[in-house]
Amino acid sequence: MERIILDVDLAMGAPGSDIDDGFALALALADPEITLDLVTTVNGNTDVASATALTLELLHRLGQPDVPVHRGAQVPLVRPQARFGSIPDDVEIRQPHPTAAAVAMVQHVLAHPGEITLVAVGPLTNVALAMRLDPRFAPSLKGLVIMGGVFNEHTNNAAMPGEFNIWSDPEAAHIVLTSGVVARWVGLDVTLKVRVTKSEALEMERSDRPFVSFAGKYTAAWIDHLNDGKPEPDESCAMHDPLAVAAVAHPELITWRQAYVQVETGDRLRGVMVADYLTGDFAPDGQRLIRTANATVAVAVDAPAFNQLFLGKMKEL
Ligand code: BDR
Ligand code: CA
């Protein structure tokens, strides 16, 4: 059994917003090999107030209102907030736990050293703050799984050269990479390969199970939003964050490589991550560069096996 803290920038339930954090939360609850101890929220896909309200609302929809939710960072460490959202009128405003996310992470992990895996599927602000708050935090984690970065391809987007979570708070990513924790990084080039189609979303919407129907409706709307104005629409969307949750208890779905990873914190290549797979690089002067792995990086995924696990679990909710 894997005990986790899930750190999300959840926007499922706000029209036109990304839905994958919501599915990550649902999968964490649906997987019998995972116990969800805490949820923490962070600014990213949306502002942190909206992420917190929508997370509390989703836990109610999923019949799990007692999972503690801790509100986290309102802004990245150094950069301005990337995105703002809104809370739909029909969402009840519930109060999160009074302890701030980074403090709750530290307290919970130190209370259960070596037992808790932190799964971060938004910008890494809360994780970096927890690492800075208490030096015992990082070595007391059982594991750290991150949806972030793009290691084997590029975003091919000059306005956002790094993957969104890392681009949003590259300084936080630098703190995580230099913390001594060898995290498992599930990057965009791999998560883009696990997709839900519009017809699967519409089939979910027709379900008589309330969460499945709700999630299907917002997924179909998200796919429409992504296709808005595109000459060649793609009738599917990626399940970035659920793949990171799946990696906790089903790491065999992914092919991993050890790497020495650095992140660019300058403006021009903000958030770009470079993975050195330690295969024998030499500096121009011929000197061997001595590096040790500081990351475990996803390089491939068994997408059909993930889809079977993911869609199967969603249908049971
Ligand atoms: C990441 O950014 C967000 O939009 C998604 O929720 C995911 O965590 C993908 O780049
Ligand atoms: Ca996310």
Side-chain angles (χ1 to χ4, degrees), residues 7-11 18-22 24 42 44-45 120-123 147 163-165 240-241:
D7 189 57
V8 294
D9 54 338
L10 188 148
D18 201 346
I19 39 66
D20 66 330
D21 291 76
V42 66
N45 277 325
V121 296
M147 190 284 128
E163 176 278 330
F164 175 75
N165 289 339
H240 309 286
D241 296 345

mmCIF file of all heavy atoms in Angstrom, residues 7-11 18-22 24 42 44-45 120-123 147 163-165 240-241, ligand 2:
data_model
loop_
_atom_site.group_PDB
_atom_site.id
_atom_site.type_symbol
_atom_site.label_atom_id
_atom_site.label_comp_id
_atom_site.label_asym_id
_atom_site.label_seq_id
_atom_site.Cartn_x
_atom_site.Cartn_y
_atom_site.Cartn_z
ATOM 1 N N ASP A 7 -0.321 16.891 -4.545
ATOM 2 C CA ASP A 7 -0.250 18.351 -4.674
ATOM 3 C C ASP A 7 -0.787 18.733 -6.053
ATOM 4 O O ASP A 7 -0.209 18.339 -7.068
ATOM 5 C CB ASP A 7 1.207 18.795 -4.515
ATOM 6 C CG ASP A 7 1.343 20.297 -4.422
ATOM 7 O OD1 ASP A 7 0.735 20.903 -3.529
ATOM 8 O OD2 ASP A 7 2.071 20.883 -5.257
ATOM 9 N N VAL A 8 -1.886 19.496 -6.087
ATOM 10 C CA VAL A 8 -2.596 19.735 -7.352
ATOM 11 C C VAL A 8 -2.833 21.227 -7.625
ATOM 12 O O VAL A 8 -2.976 22.031 -6.701
ATOM 13 C CB VAL A 8 -3.995 19.057 -7.347
ATOM 14 C CG1 VAL A 8 -3.880 17.542 -7.317
ATOM 15 C CG2 VAL A 8 -4.847 19.546 -6.177
ATOM 16 N N ASP A 9 -2.932 21.561 -8.915
ATOM 17 C CA ASP A 9 -3.459 22.871 -9.339
ATOM 18 C C ASP A 9 -4.758 22.577 -10.104
ATOM 19 O O ASP A 9 -4.882 22.815 -11.285
ATOM 20 C CB ASP A 9 -2.444 23.655 -10.186
ATOM 21 C CG ASP A 9 -1.915 22.898 -11.382
ATOM 22 O OD1 ASP A 9 -1.961 21.645 -11.400
ATOM 23 O OD2 ASP A 9 -1.473 23.560 -12.348
ATOM 24 N N LEU A 10 -5.714 22.069 -9.366
ATOM 25 C CA LEU A 10 -6.908 21.434 -9.946
ATOM 26 C C LEU A 10 -7.914 22.471 -10.450
ATOM 27 O O LEU A 10 -8.261 23.410 -9.735
ATOM 28 C CB LEU A 10 -7.531 20.554 -8.866
ATOM 29 C CG LEU A 10 -8.687 19.629 -9.242
ATOM 30 C CD1 LEU A 10 -8.639 18.369 -8.374
ATOM 31 C CD2 LEU A 10 -10.038 20.301 -9.102
ATOM 32 N N ALA A 11 -8.389 22.256 -11.689
ATOM 33 C CA ALA A 11 -9.368 23.195 -12.265
ATOM 34 C C ALA A 11 -10.587 22.473 -12.832
ATOM 35 O O ALA A 11 -11.451 23.125 -13.429
ATOM 36 C CB ALA A 11 -8.700 24.036 -13.349
ATOM 37 N N ASP A 18 -8.467 22.868 -17.794
ATOM 38 C CA ASP A 18 -7.839 21.551 -17.888
ATOM 39 C C ASP A 18 -8.447 20.622 -16.826
ATOM 40 O O ASP A 18 -8.795 21.060 -15.737
ATOM 41 C CB ASP A 18 -6.336 21.686 -17.693
ATOM 42 C CG ASP A 18 -5.569 20.519 -18.268
ATOM 43 O OD1 ASP A 18 -6.199 19.489 -18.572
ATOM 44 O OD2 ASP A 18 -4.337 20.627 -18.401
ATOM 45 N N ILE A 19 -8.562 19.353 -17.186
ATOM 46 C CA ILE A 19 -9.274 18.416 -16.319
ATOM 47 C C ILE A 19 -8.363 17.356 -15.694
ATOM 48 O O ILE A 19 -8.825 16.534 -14.919
ATOM 49 C CB ILE A 19 -10.409 17.714 -17.114
ATOM 50 C CG1 ILE A 19 -9.996 17.362 -18.555
ATOM 51 C CG2 ILE A 19 -11.617 18.610 -17.213
ATOM 52 C CD1 ILE A 19 -8.961 16.363 -18.724
ATOM 53 N N ASP A 20 -7.058 17.367 -16.069
ATOM 54 C CA ASP A 20 -6.263 16.193 -15.695
ATOM 55 C C ASP A 20 -5.921 16.119 -14.213
ATOM 56 O O ASP A 20 -5.783 15.023 -13.668
ATOM 57 C CB ASP A 20 -5.014 16.075 -16.577
ATOM 58 C CG ASP A 20 -4.025 17.192 -16.382
ATOM 59 O OD1 ASP A 20 -4.445 18.314 -16.047
ATOM 60 O OD2 ASP A 20 -2.823 16.944 -16.557
ATOM 61 N N ASP A 21 -5.822 17.263 -13.516
ATOM 62 C CA ASP A 21 -5.605 17.181 -12.060
ATOM 63 C C ASP A 21 -6.795 16.505 -11.372
ATOM 64 O O ASP A 21 -6.627 15.759 -10.401
ATOM 65 C CB ASP A 21 -5.425 18.577 -11.445
ATOM 66 C CG ASP A 21 -4.132 19.241 -11.853
ATOM 67 O OD1 ASP A 21 -4.065 19.727 -13.008
ATOM 68 O OD2 ASP A 21 -3.197 19.258 -11.034
ATOM 69 N N GLY A 22 -8.011 16.794 -11.882
ATOM 70 C CA GLY A 22 -9.212 16.172 -11.301
ATOM 71 C C GLY A 22 -9.179 14.663 -11.474
ATOM 72 O O GLY A 22 -9.509 13.905 -10.547
ATOM 73 N N ALA A 24 -6.461 12.939 -11.790
ATOM 74 C CA ALA A 24 -5.376 12.425 -10.931
ATOM 75 C C ALA A 24 -5.905 12.185 -9.511
ATOM 76 O O ALA A 24 -5.611 11.157 -8.886
ATOM 77 C CB ALA A 24 -4.217 13.420 -10.910
ATOM 78 N N VAL A 42 -2.061 24.394 -5.153
ATOM 79 C CA VAL A 42 -1.039 25.365 -5.551
ATOM 80 C C VAL A 42 -1.554 26.149 -6.758
ATOM 81 O O VAL A 42 -2.379 25.646 -7.525
ATOM 82 C CB VAL A 42 0.294 24.616 -5.867
ATOM 83 C CG1 VAL A 42 0.184 23.713 -7.090
ATOM 84 C CG2 VAL A 42 1.467 25.577 -6.005
ATOM 85 N N GLY A 44 -1.436 27.564 -10.476
ATOM 86 C CA GLY A 44 -0.861 26.960 -11.695
ATOM 87 C C GLY A 44 -1.866 27.044 -12.814
ATOM 88 O O GLY A 44 -2.054 28.109 -13.413
ATOM 89 N N ASN A 45 -2.587 25.940 -13.061
ATOM 90 C CA ASN A 45 -3.672 25.949 -14.046
ATOM 91 C C ASN A 45 -4.680 27.051 -13.748
ATOM 92 O O ASN A 45 -5.364 27.543 -14.632
ATOM 93 C CB ASN A 45 -4.460 24.633 -13.984
ATOM 94 C CG ASN A 45 -3.812 23.534 -14.781
ATOM 95 O OD1 ASN A 45 -3.230 23.773 -15.828
ATOM 96 N ND2 ASN A 45 -3.931 22.317 -14.277
ATOM 97 N N ALA A 120 3.459 15.370 -7.047
ATOM 98 C CA ALA A 120 3.255 16.787 -7.365
ATOM 99 C C ALA A 120 2.888 16.908 -8.840
ATOM 100 O O ALA A 120 3.673 16.527 -9.711
ATOM 101 C CB ALA A 120 4.527 17.570 -7.065
ATOM 102 N N VAL A 121 1.696 17.451 -9.099
ATOM 103 C CA VAL A 121 1.224 17.533 -10.488
ATOM 104 C C VAL A 121 0.883 18.974 -10.880
ATOM 105 O O VAL A 121 0.140 19.211 -11.825
ATOM 106 C CB VAL A 121 0.033 16.575 -10.740
ATOM 107 C CG1 VAL A 121 0.471 15.134 -10.557
ATOM 108 C CG2 VAL A 121 -1.155 16.889 -9.836
ATOM 109 N N GLY A 122 1.448 19.911 -10.148
ATOM 110 C CA GLY A 122 1.349 21.328 -10.502
ATOM 111 C C GLY A 122 2.737 21.933 -10.403
ATOM 112 O O GLY A 122 3.730 21.214 -10.234
ATOM 113 N N PRO A 123 2.855 23.259 -10.470
ATOM 114 C CA PRO A 123 4.155 23.902 -10.220
ATOM 115 C C PRO A 123 4.703 23.480 -8.858
ATOM 116 O O PRO A 123 3.935 23.187 -7.933
ATOM 117 C CB PRO A 123 3.809 25.398 -10.279
ATOM 118 C CG PRO A 123 2.603 25.460 -11.180
ATOM 119 C CD PRO A 123 1.808 24.222 -10.869
ATOM 120 N N MET A 147 4.846 15.274 -12.129
ATOM 121 C CA MET A 147 4.500 15.519 -13.531
ATOM 122 C C MET A 147 5.116 16.871 -13.866
ATOM 123 O O MET A 147 4.655 17.912 -13.389
ATOM 124 C CB MET A 147 2.973 15.583 -13.738
ATOM 125 C CG MET A 147 2.562 15.603 -15.221
ATOM 126 S SD MET A 147 2.811 17.183 -16.010
ATOM 127 C CE MET A 147 3.756 16.750 -17.446
ATOM 128 N N GLU A 163 8.117 22.986 -20.059
ATOM 129 C CA GLU A 163 6.769 22.435 -19.792
ATOM 130 C C GLU A 163 6.077 23.317 -18.752
ATOM 131 O O GLU A 163 6.730 23.886 -17.868
ATOM 132 C CB GLU A 163 6.940 20.988 -19.303
ATOM 133 C CG GLU A 163 5.669 20.285 -18.901
ATOM 134 C CD GLU A 163 5.224 20.615 -17.499
ATOM 135 O OE1 GLU A 163 6.090 20.905 -16.644
ATOM 136 O OE2 GLU A 163 4.009 20.616 -17.252
ATOM 137 N N PHE A 164 4.761 23.434 -18.800
ATOM 138 C CA PHE A 164 4.027 24.438 -18.015
ATOM 139 C C PHE A 164 4.365 24.425 -16.526
ATOM 140 O O PHE A 164 4.621 25.488 -15.924
ATOM 141 C CB PHE A 164 2.508 24.272 -18.211
ATOM 142 C CG PHE A 164 1.716 25.191 -17.328
ATOM 143 C CD1 PHE A 164 1.624 26.544 -17.616
ATOM 144 C CD2 PHE A 164 1.095 24.718 -16.181
ATOM 145 C CE1 PHE A 164 0.927 27.407 -16.782
ATOM 146 C CE2 PHE A 164 0.390 25.576 -15.342
ATOM 147 C CZ PHE A 164 0.307 26.927 -15.649
ATOM 148 N N ASN A 165 4.334 23.263 -15.869
ATOM 149 C CA ASN A 165 4.550 23.234 -14.420
ATOM 150 C C ASN A 165 5.928 23.766 -14.048
ATOM 151 O O ASN A 165 6.093 24.451 -13.027
ATOM 152 C CB ASN A 165 4.383 21.808 -13.867
ATOM 153 C CG ASN A 165 2.945 21.340 -13.887
ATOM 154 O OD1 ASN A 165 2.025 22.149 -13.940
ATOM 155 N ND2 ASN A 165 2.750 20.027 -13.866
ATOM 156 N N HIS A 240 -2.025 13.943 -18.492
ATOM 157 C CA HIS A 240 -0.687 14.137 -17.913
ATOM 158 C C HIS A 240 -0.622 13.668 -16.445
ATOM 159 O O HIS A 240 0.191 12.821 -16.078
ATOM 160 C CB HIS A 240 -0.318 15.627 -17.930
ATOM 161 C CG HIS A 240 -0.480 16.315 -19.233
ATOM 162 N ND1 HIS A 240 0.384 16.128 -20.279
ATOM 163 C CD2 HIS A 240 -1.400 17.227 -19.666
ATOM 164 C CE1 HIS A 240 0.014 16.892 -21.296
ATOM 165 N NE2 HIS A 240 -1.066 17.565 -20.958
ATOM 166 N N ASP A 241 -1.461 14.287 -15.617
ATOM 167 C CA ASP A 241 -1.315 14.089 -14.167
ATOM 168 C C ASP A 241 -1.720 12.686 -13.686
ATOM 169 O O ASP A 241 -1.068 12.142 -12.784
ATOM 170 C CB ASP A 241 -2.116 15.164 -13.422
ATOM 171 C CG ASP A 241 -1.567 16.571 -13.698
ATOM 172 O OD1 ASP A 241 -0.441 16.669 -14.214
ATOM 173 O OD2 ASP A 241 -2.264 17.545 -13.396
HETATM 174 CA CA CA B 2 -1.626 19.888 -13.120
#
